[in-house]
Amino acid sequence: MLAATTERLARIHRVQVERDRWPDFAAFDASRYSLALRREAARQWARRACAEHGSIHQFSAVMHGLCEARVGLELLGALARLITDEVRHAELCAAMAVALLPEGGEPELFAWPTPDAPWHDAPGPEQPQALLAWAADAILIACCLGETISRPMYEALIVVTTDPVAEQVVRQILRDEHLHAAFGWDALALLLPALEPAGRAQVQERLRRALGGFEATTACGYTIEDVAGRAITVERGEAANLGLLTSEQYAMIFFATIEQEIFPALHALGLDPAAAWAGRPGRAAP
């Protein structure tokens, strides 16, 4: 993922991608931390790099679909910024993972799978309603859900991370997550009124399936019953932390974000998040 190209391409890349004050990864002092801690942190940062690379893939597909749907250039321009941001996030996460293990080796930690979008290919422009519904589905998943959920995760990482280089990486990514979620909600609000009833029903059905998918991948095996009536305080501990959250923290943040942010925003758009949640795949039988 971090392979060099040419000096010309590198200069273009740095101007577009490595904006703000780029973290000084060479300043990371691996000798301060145990190999076990660094290996676990490298695993999580490498997984984040792959997830961010997957977002490049997803947003590029959405860009293609929206171009064929002939949406306004302001929407395309905003989306183009998101694609560049995701390239930046992938590089930040991958560079952090590599800095954590300067000894090299550990190839299983740095596996780079081919990205796979969580939706089928976009229909052609000869099916304008189907194409708009597809775009609404994709934006719902990638931005409204994915980016809204990831933002409080990175906010928590800023609290717990004790290493200054890792904290710089988290802060750079978090600055973009706010914009990405806002893009999603604005874009979905533009697309939904253009959909016929069948298209809106498709988005509602996609919401049902997507909520189950995010719960399966983000709640770390916890259920809503496990966390009901509980609160958790995310705070910096005395032990070194290189950008790690516990499974419980991931789950608590996920369920809180669903309830406090995502449900109200979906309801304001005329969707039915309560029905989608009740019928989500994988939910325990009553």
Side-chain angles (χ1 to χ4, degrees):
M1 193 180 291
L2 298 176
T5 53
T6 69
E7 182 52 38
R8 189 197 309 270
L9 291 174
R11 285 197 303 270
I12 297 171
H13 171 84
R14 285 193 293 268
V15 169
Q16 294 297 322
V17 173
E18 296 185 1
R19 56 184 183 271
D20 298 328
R21 184 175 180 181
W22 198 248
D24 183 6
F25 291 103
F28 177 77
D29 185 0
S31 67
R32 295 175 55 197
Y33 309 105
S34 70
L35 178 60
L37 176 62
R38 290 190 286 113
R39 182 183 290 117
E40 174 58 21
R43 182 182 68 83
Q44 289 205 23
W45 281 108
R47 287 174 57 186
R48 289 173 190 143
C50 290
E52 301 289 358
H53 182 258
S55 294
I56 302 169
H57 181 257
Q58 292 177 17
F59 290 157
S60 297
V62 175
M63 176 71 84
H64 180 80
L66 289 175
C67 279
E68 292 200 335
R70 294 179 296 171
V71 302
L73 292 178
E74 287 187 357
L75 180 53
L76 297 181
L79 181 54
R81 158 68 191 267
L82 266 63
I83 294 172
T84 304
D85 288 347
E86 297 300 351
V87 174
R88 191 158 69 98
H89 297 176
E91 181 176 357
L92 285 164
C93 293
M96 189 68 235
V98 171
L100 284 160
L101 286 177
E103 302 91 341
E106 311 289 349
E108 72 281 359
L109 294 182
F110 300 107
W112 184 17
T114 301
D116 183 22
W119 51 66
H120 57 74
D121 291 340
E126 69 280 358
Q127 306 176 69
Q129 273 293 309
L131 181 54
L132 285 176
W134 176 90
D137 287 350
I139 288 170
L140 169 71
I141 295 170
C143 296
C144 299
L145 298 182
E147 299 291 339
T148 302
I149 291 169
S150 68
R151 192 206 70 248
M153 302 290 185
Y154 279 110
E155 288 174 341
L157 283 172
I158 284 181
V159 174
V160 302
T161 301
T162 60
D163 183 84
V165 177
E167 183 179 343
Q168 289 174 37
V169 173
V170 175
R171 288 188 180 279
Q172 286 222 16
I173 295 173
L174 179 60
R175 279 199 291 272
D176 297 329
E177 298 301 283
H178 292 274
L179 182 149
H180 293 190
F183 165 85
W185 294 113
D186 282 4
L188 190 59
L190 284 172
L191 294 177
L192 283 178
L195 296 180
E196 296 174 351
R200 290 184 66 90
Q202 176 181 318
V203 175
Q204 177 69 32
E205 169 60 16
R206 169 60 77 172
L207 173 62
R208 181 188 70 83
R209 288 181 280 140
L211 287 174
F214 274 99
E215 182 181 23
T217 57
T218 311
C220 302
Y222 284 77
T223 68
I224 188 69
E225 290 76 20
D226 293 332
V227 304
R230 295 178 52 204
I232 188 171
T233 301
V234 177
E235 56 188 0
R236 182 169 296 190
E238 295 183 2
N241 188 306
L242 300 176
L244 301 173
L245 294 175
T246 67
S247 295
E248 182 184 38
Q249 287 171 331
Y250 277 119
M252 294 288 284
I253 293 169
F254 168 75
F255 288 117
T257 305
I258 288 289
E259 178 184 11
Q260 298 169 14
E261 296 189 46
I262 289 177
F263 271 32
L266 291 169
H267 184 74
L269 292 177
L271 296 170
D272 190 345
W277 182 258
R280 71 195 185 281
R283 93 178 170 92

